[in-house]
Amino acid sequence: MILKSHRARREESKRSVSNGRFGFYLALPSILVLLALLAIPAVLTIFQSFFIVPPDGVGIGEFTKVDNYLFLFKNEIFWATSLRSIWFALIFIVGSTVIGMAAALLLNEKFVGRMVLRGLLVLPWACPWLIVGIIWKWFADGNIGLLNGVLMRLNLISEYKDFLSDPSWAIWMTAIAATWRQSCLVALLLLAGLQTMPREIWDAASVDGAGIFQRFRHITLPWLRPALTVVTVLNVIYGLMQFDVIFAMTQGGPGSSTTLLSFLIYRQFFIFTNFGIGSALAVALALIALVGGLIAVKTLYRKIEV
Amino acid sequence: MIYSAAAVFVVWILFPIWYTLSSSFTKPSEIGARPTPFWPASPTLDNYRLVLGIPTKDQECIPGIDIVNCGAAASNVSVNKLVDTMFNSFIVGAAVVFFTLLISTIAAYSLSRYRFAGSVFFLNFTILSRIVPGLVLVAPIFIFLRVLNLLNTPWALIISYTSFTLPLAIIILKNYFDQISIDLEEAAALDGAGRLQTLKLVILPVAVPGLIATGVLVFLESWSEFFFALVLTDSYTVPALLAGFLSMQTFNWTLLSAATIIAIIPPVLLVMIFQKYIVTALASGTGK
């Protein structure tokens, strides 16, 4: 009741013309900065993807219509790398969401040491992505890594295995490293969502005789849908755009087994200074991310019906 | 059941980072033992001393024999860089926080309280720009900065980081202002305070927790950023410097692990101190 009237009053004051001008002036610095640093660069990147840009990047260069894109579409490396990026992102998205969800559900229960575990969750999240890569590069190292030490003690391997030099393992290890950090962020965000869930709904369902999995499917999951949607969109972006972890762990190798689209873009821009092709790649990656994000929203988001 | 699940998570979170921590106290000569030990056999602080540029007891280098000290001595120039680079990272982070908060606070307040032509579009644009990746923006920003002769300066990072911290700050602060009752402004207006005065004297003091949480998050993003630092500067901030260490033959893992631990102390401390605020802010910033 009170809330409603607040909102009504706020809407009322929002509409007045002189207030509108005042509001515009307050927002103006941010609008200008976002135009200069986001809108214009994004448009320029799209623009450059249709040109052969001179290596110094200044000036328009030669208009090539869609030649840059045709070059990509006819190029096997582009397709292989796109698939690899999507594969990496899938491992990352599924891993982070499942592990994060499990951790959130666990932390929503009451047990001794709960706060300690919650405190630990922020540790990986506080690590910059590049440092996540450094930590995992040496953890998974084939000569001195602790992962090999642990596996050996558990008798799972008899000899040290060099995961990062093995093309089929490298993509998994890098994706797992990235998942290590992201799963903790997912857990924190989903836990925040869980803690706003009224306990009574859950209790009422258990009185009605719903089992734990039924309660998860029909109560917890619908309640978490909005948070889960946002988290998954974030995961799609971070998964497809991942660069730092790869840079630290494998530099795209061995061979090209961990070369993701982000790495190709980096090389086109800053090693071959081929801004036209690089821009076309960046636009392609952004489109893949857009499609991925839309799929996530379509499958996950429903209006909550209570 | 619950405790075994909790144990699995503790192992998952701690093992990788534990190995970095234990390596940072390990003598380089002891690093190859198999199976890899959980604890350093004879803990030492030498890695930290070397990385921070504090002389160790026996720093003489006997070429061909004492690989450890020779290696460190050879790379001493860049070793001492860690302290300088930490300082750079702090300066860049502080500047990004300052500029971001300065302009995002008023914009967020405006979006929460006023409506002007295009305000809804501006809000949607801000939300959308949270997911525009740096990879799409980096080439034009790089060229701008080169034309302005700002590459390799802290300004290159302060300017480019604002492109992603500003939308984050606006969204979080807008949600924060939305929760502050409009009664405050009405009371201030009755007392004859102007709109700008009201914002400065009435609203901002109430919004301090939100400003702190936003500032910490912005600082963390700035501290963590690597890609722009790699391409716009020559190892100016900590992640870029550590990436450089990775490719140096003379720089061994025990030294790198010590540098890594030092590099994550500031963000870990910040997150631990402000954990409650940050998680709430993050959840609200992503939840809408």
Side-chain angles (χ1 to χ4, degrees), chain A residues 6 9-11 13-16 18-27 29-31 33-42 44-45 48 55-58 99 102-103 106 109-113 117-131 134-139 142-146 148-150 152-153 160 176 179-181 183-185 188-189 192 226 230 233-234 237-238 240-241 243-244 247-249 262 265-266 269-270 275 279 282-283 285-286, chain B residues 1-3 5-6 9-10 12-20 31-38 103-104 106-107 109-117 122 125-126 129-133 135-144 146-147 159-160 162-164 166-167 170 174 177-183 186 195-196 199 217 220-221 223-227 230-232 238-240 242-243 246 252-253 256 260 263-264 267-268 271-272 275-276 278-279 282-283 286-288:
Chain A
H6 281 161
R9 270 184 282 161
R10 191 188 297 153
E11 287 305 314
S13 84
K14 263 184 174 178
R15 274 172 226 284
S16 115
S18 99
N19 276 351
R21 194 172 300 138
F22 180 66
F24 176 72
Y25 289 142
L26 289 181
S30 289
I31 293 176
V33 170
L34 287 184
L35 268 181
L37 293 179
L38 263 154
I40 294 176
L44 275 179
T45 298
Q48 289 197 322
D56 66 355
V58 184
I99 296 173
L106 175 71
E109 302 297 318
K110 288 191 173 62
F111 60 93
V112 184
L117 185 52
R118 224 199 107 145
L120 285 182
L121 269 188
V122 298
L123 258 184
W125 179 65
C127 293
W129 283 110
L130 184 95
I131 287 183
I134 293 179
I135 289 173
W136 274 82
K137 177 186 164 75
W138 296 98
F139 181 63
N143 287 313
I144 60 170
L146 183 62
N148 272 304
V150 172
M152 200 172 216
R153 283 197 182 82
Y160 270 34
I176 290 171
T179 301
W180 178 69
R181 180 186 193 266
S183 63
C184 294
L185 174 65
L188 288 173
L189 291 178
V230 175
V233 171
L234 278 183
I237 308 284
Y238 279 115
L240 285 169
M241 304 296 161
F243 176 83
D244 304 8
F247 189 94
M249 286 179 80
S262 57
I265 296 171
Y266 164 70
F269 279 149
F270 298 106
F275 287 96
S279 301
V283 172
L285 178 56
Chain B
M1 165 69 184
I2 260 185
Y3 287 96
F9 278 112
V10 170
W12 162 247
I13 293 169
L14 274 189
F15 267 31
I17 210 164
W18 171 257
Y19 183 55
T20 303
I31 203 74
R34 288 188 188 185
T36 311
F38 281 95
I103 59 177
S104 68
I106 49 177
Y109 180 70
S110 158
L111 283 173
S112 169
R113 296 295 198 263
Y114 299 108
R115 178 162 300 170
F116 52 88
F122 175 52
F125 178 81
T126 311
S129 61
R130 270 299 284 157
I131 59 173
V132 174
L135 283 166
V136 178
L137 311 173
V138 68
I141 289 182
F142 173 78
I143 296 163
F144 282 155
R146 190 166 57 189
V147 171
I159 292 169
S160 57
T162 310
S163 73
F164 57 84
L166 189 58
I170 292 177
K174 189 219 169 238
F177 286 130
D178 280 349
Q179 287 159 16
I180 296 175
S181 161
I182 200 160
D183 289 349
E186 285 175 346
R195 287 173 300 202
L196 213 52
L199 172 58
L217 274 175
L220 287 175
E221 291 230 347
W223 185 273
S224 306
E225 208 286 333
F226 168 63
F227 186 65
L230 173 75
V231 300
L232 303 180
V238 176
L242 293 182
L246 267 180
N252 57 47
W253 163 232
L256 180 60
T260 305
I264 57 174
V268 166
V271 167
M272 282 188 177
Q275 189 177 349
K276 223 179 89 193
I278 300 176
V279 173
L282 255 189
T286 49
K288 298 266 160 96

Side-chain angles (χ1 to χ4, degrees), chain A residues 27-179:
Chain A
L28 191 59
S30 289
I31 293 176
L32 292 178
V33 170
L34 287 184
L35 268 181
L37 293 179
L38 263 154
I40 294 176
V43 171
L44 275 179
T45 298
I46 297 172
F47 192 76
Q48 289 197 322
S49 71
F50 295 101
F51 285 82
I52 296 176
V53 184
D56 66 355
V58 184
I60 302 182
E62 190 189 330
F63 182 57
T64 65
K65 286 182 270 183
V66 288
D67 281 7
N68 289 335
Y69 290 97
L70 284 181
F71 172 81
L72 290 185
F73 295 156
K74 285 181 189 151
N75 197 319
E76 274 174 37
I77 296 175
F78 169 73
W79 293 108
T81 313
S82 299
L83 284 179
R84 199 178 296 126
S85 276
I86 294 171
W87 177 230
F88 177 93
L90 277 178
I91 303 174
F92 173 82
I93 295 163
V94 173
S96 308
T97 313
V98 170
I99 296 173
M101 173 73 91
L105 290 173
L106 175 71
L107 284 166
N108 203 35
E109 302 297 318
K110 288 191 173 62
F111 60 93
V112 184
R114 176 172 164 267
M115 289 320 284
V116 177
L117 185 52
R118 224 199 107 145
L120 285 182
L121 269 188
V122 298
L123 258 184
W125 179 65
C127 293
W129 283 110
L130 184 95
I131 287 183
V132 170
I134 293 179
I135 289 173
W136 274 82
K137 177 186 164 75
W138 296 98
F139 181 63
D141 189 83
N143 287 313
I144 60 170
L146 183 62
L147 179 61
N148 272 304
V150 172
L151 294 176
M152 200 172 216
R153 283 197 182 82
L154 296 171
N155 278 324
L156 291 171
I157 50 168
S158 55
E159 252 172 66
Y160 270 34
K161 187 164 174 45
D162 198 350
F163 296 103
L164 295 179
S165 301
D166 181 335
S168 53
W169 269 106
I171 190 98
W172 278 95
M173 269 303 156
T174 47
I176 290 171
T179 301

